[in-house]
Amino acid sequence: MHKIKRMFIYMILSIFAIISIFPFIWMIVSTTNKSVDVTKGRLLPGTHLVENLQNLFSTVDLVPALINSAIISIATTILSLIIASLAGYGFEIYRSKTKDVVFNILLLSMMIPFAALMIPLFRMFGTISQIAPGIGIDTLISAMLPSVTTAFLIFFFRQNTKMFPRALLEAGRIDGLTELGVFFRIYVPTMKTTYAAAAIITFMASWNNYLWPLVVLQSPENHTIPLLISNLGSSNSPDFGIIMTTIVIATLPTALIFFLLQRHFVAGMMGSVK
Amino acid sequence: MIPATTKQNIQVKPRKYHNKFRFKNGLIGWAFISIATVMICIFYFYPMVQALILSFKSGAGTNLQFVGLDNYLRLFTDPTFIAALKNTVIYLIIQVPIMIILAMLISVLLNNKKLKLKGFFRTAIFLPCITSLVAYSVVFKYLFATDGIINKMLINVSLISEPIQWLTDPFWAKVTIIIAITWRWTGYNMIFYLSALQNVDHSIYEAAKIDGANAFQQFFKITIPMLKPIILFTSITSTIGTLQLFDEVMNITKGGPGTATLTISQYIYNLSFKYTPDFGYAATVSYAVVIMIVFFSILQFKAAGDKNA
């Protein structure tokens, strides 16, 4: 009886695992097949990987899109981490009733759907374009500014700051560090794992962000990876070999982060329910 | 999810600094939180107020005039909005429960101590979460094409004789979207259940067994009540996510056929950037989403019982 039960559990889990992995296998296999074979549903590896890569680089502007995505994601991650950790630290270490009220108001911003912000933001950047075109519509900066500060990340840092030993703080003060010095010299190095988790969440969100860049980045040379894939996917005469190769390349950075930093990855996700 | 419900054991020691230092200390605290607060005000609260003002205006492009409540009344007679609302609610009441039940089921199976290959199963089922929404949507669009591999496989195993019109039939297009979202997010939700289950004391189950409780009774009388906060958390985040659904629909079906899979977010996008822009009415539609998010969140909190859920 027990054996049958266990077999049954393995069977169910295997089915779910196969369903989860299958699109990946198909995607990876398709990078080595010709477009015709992909549409035929070929599931065996072919010999056209090099050809697909060559076609990809000669017909699709993958490298500029990769560079744009990298610039936006890395800059967003660095700025987000600085701004959110300063705030999370400030709210927890210099706690006061008024600040708690401010904190709760900031949390409300998590409820606002992006669709509601999109139009006013677009109009706002339209106005900025007339004064300072460098940060107006259709610039990489405009694509990242609205997502640089999120209440979620402030919340995440505040939750983790609760576990920061305050004795360290006092020790730093006695050693004559300024308040900002305590933050940078003591808090930041102690909270490395929190920063790692936060960096992963932010980088992933930024790398995969679609709607706002779609609205604000109009010229093709500013396109990011999601915009590029979306355009390839909606073309009238798609070359499936090229598209699948692009998707695999675009997924590589996040896949690498996942497999190398799995522990931080999950810690980052769980941060929200701690 | 809200910090006030977590344990706050930090004791604030009464300090006897003189007033000048306290004042300075207070200012430093505000300095730490200032950048974030200003940024959130500029990029969340200010646009939110702007959208509210916009929702009472109408007109093409930048030529906007106050129309009072006209936009809000228009919502009730706008067939596209009603279709988008209907679709979104269908996704919500079908997809979210399916996904939550699957996530719970898988995590309970995975929580078995004697299970081998646990790490493999967990990683495999979580793997869809590493894909970008756009990338996986494009992959699913091709998987579910009429001459795509899913139809071929189903025909090969004789489950169907004719290819299913996954993307062009109004009913099946919705099914495709639901399958896609479920594939992408079940593993994500599973992780929350798994970590909650690991914190459940095993002796409770031992005691239940001694009292003669079978597996089902254990599940419904112990596991479910223990998981209540996580069920609440995952259903709220999934609901908010579904109400904002955009990337998948945009890249799998473009909202079609007709308006069969259109979501509210996509309709807002179309109103602002695809048709002749009517920012005022689009802002009104976006406030409908805000109201729905608030409504469903309160509903789920109520359904989960009291505040200490």
Side-chain angles (χ1 to χ4, degrees):
Chain A
M1 181 60 204
H2 257 278
K3 248 185 184 167
I4 298 170
K5 195 180 143 197
R6 200 169 303 161
M7 283 283 287
F8 189 64
I9 291 177
Y10 277 114
M11 218 177 69
I12 295 179
L13 287 175
S14 304
I15 291 171
F16 282 119
I18 290 168
I19 294 175
S20 300
I21 298 177
F22 176 73
F24 288 95
I25 295 174
W26 185 67
M27 215 161 92
I28 292 165
V29 165
S30 296
T31 61
T32 65
N33 283 322
K34 273 197 292 194
S35 185
V36 196
D37 290 331
V38 178
T39 43
K40 275 184 191 155
R42 189 184 152 103
L43 265 175
L44 294 169
T47 52
H48 292 268
L49 177 62
V50 178
E51 194 188 319
N52 279 335
L53 281 172
Q54 280 168 348
N55 288 340
L56 167 63
F57 286 109
S58 59
T59 56
V60 181
D61 286 328
L62 179 67
V63 176
L66 277 174
I67 294 172
N68 288 338
S69 277
I71 293 174
I72 292 176
S73 309
I74 292 170
T76 304
T77 307
I78 294 171
L79 286 173
S80 296
L81 256 54
I82 296 172
I83 294 171
S85 65
L86 278 171
Y89 178 87
F91 278 118
E92 188 56 35
I93 301 290
Y94 304 96
R95 204 165 167 202
S96 72
K97 269 187 190 154
T98 341
K99 288 196 197 81
D100 278 354
V101 173
V102 173
F103 181 73
N104 285 326
I105 293 173
L106 293 191
L107 280 188
L108 281 180
S109 71
M110 290 207 285
M111 297 269 276
I112 303 175
F114 186 75
L117 302 173
M118 178 169 81
I119 302 154
L121 281 176
F122 181 73
R123 285 161 52 97
M124 193 162 108
F125 277 98
T127 317
I128 294 173
S129 287
Q130 290 160 1
I131 312 158
I135 56 168
I137 281 172
D138 206 15
T139 59
L140 297 188
I141 293 177
S142 69
M144 55 184 256
L145 268 183
S147 51
V148 155
T149 317
T150 57
F152 168 75
L153 212 60
I154 301 170
F155 172 62
F156 180 71
F157 271 104
R158 183 182 184 167
Q159 286 299 99
N160 283 287
T161 306
K162 289 185 199 296
M163 269 153 319
F164 175 71
R166 296 207 166 206
L168 286 180
L169 214 133
E170 296 299 334
R173 282 181 185 150
I174 289 164
D175 283 351
L177 284 175
T178 60
E179 294 298 299
L180 211 57
V182 171
F183 177 80
F184 281 111
R185 301 267 184 88
I186 299 174
Y187 177 80
V188 176
T190 320
M191 304 298 279
K192 262 186 218 143
T193 47
T194 305
Y195 277 92
I200 292 168
I201 316 173
T202 316
F203 182 86
M204 295 274 291
S206 184
W207 182 264
N208 294 333
N209 195 7
Y210 174 61
L211 179 50
W212 177 242
L214 176 70
V215 168
V216 85
L217 297 177
Q218 286 142 353
S219 47
E221 66 265 24
N222 282 335
H223 275 185
T224 57
I225 288 287
L227 297 182
L228 181 88
I229 293 174
S230 177
N231 283 344
L232 285 177
S234 54
S235 79
N236 291 323
S237 53
D239 182 313
F240 297 106
I242 293 181
I243 293 173
M244 290 304 157
T245 313
T246 311
I247 290 177
V248 169
I249 293 174
T251 313
L252 277 181
T254 48
L256 269 181
I257 291 175
F258 172 66
F259 283 111
L260 294 178
L261 303 165
Q262 212 174 114
R263 194 167 52 89
H264 294 304
F265 197 96
V266 174
M269 279 178 43
M270 299 306 302
S272 46
V273 277
K274 230 172 223 165
Chain B
M1 193 177 167
I2 307 296
T5 60
T6 57
K7 289 171 207 156
Q8 295 176 345
N9 301 329
I10 293 141
Q11 289 173 3
V12 183
K13 285 179 210 153
R15 291 184 194 151
K16 287 183 180 171
Y17 298 126
H18 52 86
N19 281 335
K20 202 176 159 191
F21 185 84
R22 281 238 306 260
F23 178 68
K24 198 182 143 212
N25 213 9
L27 273 190
I28 290 170
W30 285 103
F32 269 100
I33 64 175
S34 59
I35 308 173
T37 309
V38 170
M39 290 289 276
I40 299 249
C41 289
I42 295 177
F43 292 110
Y44 287 87
F45 294 130
Y46 173 72
M48 204 54 200
V49 175
Q50 286 293 314
L52 185 65
I53 297 170
L54 264 177
S55 72
F56 296 108
K57 291 179 176 181
S58 187
T62 49
N63 184 24
L64 291 165
Q65 267 151 4
F66 264 100
V67 291
L69 285 170
D70 280 8
N71 285 336
Y72 286 91
L73 296 173
R74 186 176 154 190
L75 284 178
F76 295 99
T77 53
D78 176 357
T80 319
F81 172 72
I82 292 167
L85 182 67
K86 235 189 237 168
N87 294 337
T88 308
V89 172
I90 289 175
Y91 296 141
L92 202 65
I93 57 176
I94 296 178
Q95 193 268 333
V96 175
I98 291 179
M99 180 180 65
I100 302 249
I101 290 167
L102 277 181
M104 220 186 311
L105 173 80
I106 296 170
S107 59
V108 169
L109 292 183
L110 273 179
N111 198 41
N112 192 328
K113 268 191 176 160
K114 288 170 200 154
L115 194 77
K116 281 168 196 151
L117 291 172
K118 200 191 243 176
F120 164 76
F121 285 126
R122 197 180 47 210
T123 308
I125 294 168
F126 182 73
L127 210 55
C129 289
I130 69 164
T131 60
S132 93
L133 299 183
V134 174
Y136 101 86
S137 301
V138 172
V139 171
F140 265 69
K141 180 175 151 186
Y142 296 137
L143 282 173
F144 284 86
T146 306
D147 57 352
I149 190 162
I150 297 291
N151 267 336
K152 280 185 181 131
M153 281 173 20
L154 290 176
I155 290 173
N156 278 345
V157 296
S158 309
L159 266 176
I160 51 170
S161 53
E162 289 283 302
I164 295 174
Q165 307 287 326
W166 291 106
L167 304 176
T168 48
D169 177 86
F171 170 76
W172 288 110
K174 283 192 195 75
V175 174
T176 309
I177 301 284
I178 289 173
I179 293 175
I181 309 169
T182 310
W183 179 82
R184 173 65 171 72
W185 293 101
T186 303
Y188 173 83
N189 287 298
M190 170 196 78
I191 294 290
F192 293 101
Y193 287 102
L194 262 183
S195 85
L197 282 175
Q198 272 157 13
N199 294 333
V200 175
D201 191 352
H202 259 273
S203 57
I204 301 176
Y205 289 100
E206 300 298 327
K209 259 184 218 163
I210 292 166
D211 287 346
N214 62 31
F216 283 100
Q217 282 169 325
Q218 285 175 36
F219 181 74
F220 286 106
K221 294 276 156 85
I222 302 175
T223 312
I224 296 258
M226 288 283 198
L227 291 178
K228 208 166 138 189
I230 303 294
I231 296 174
L232 181 66
F233 171 80
T234 50
S235 35
I236 288 181
T237 49
S238 309
T239 302
I240 293 179
T242 307
L243 286 173
Q244 300 193 52
L245 196 64
F246 178 80
D247 300 19
E248 286 90 343
V249 179
M250 185 75 176
N251 286 293
I252 297 178
T253 59
K254 282 244 184 303
T259 55
T261 55
L262 188 79
T263 64
I264 302 180
S265 287
Q266 207 192 351
Y267 186 44
I268 297 169
Y269 176 83
N270 289 347
L271 279 172
S272 330
F273 303 107
K274 206 174 147 200
Y275 315 144
T276 323
D278 187 347
F279 290 133
Y281 184 55
T284 314
V285 177
S286 73
Y287 258 80
V289 184
V290 177
I291 293 164
M292 282 167 72
I293 287 180
V294 173
F295 173 76
F296 278 109
S297 303
I298 293 173
L299 197 75
Q300 274 159 342
F301 262 108
K302 289 260 189 241
D306 48 339
K307 278 176 208 145
N308 57 35

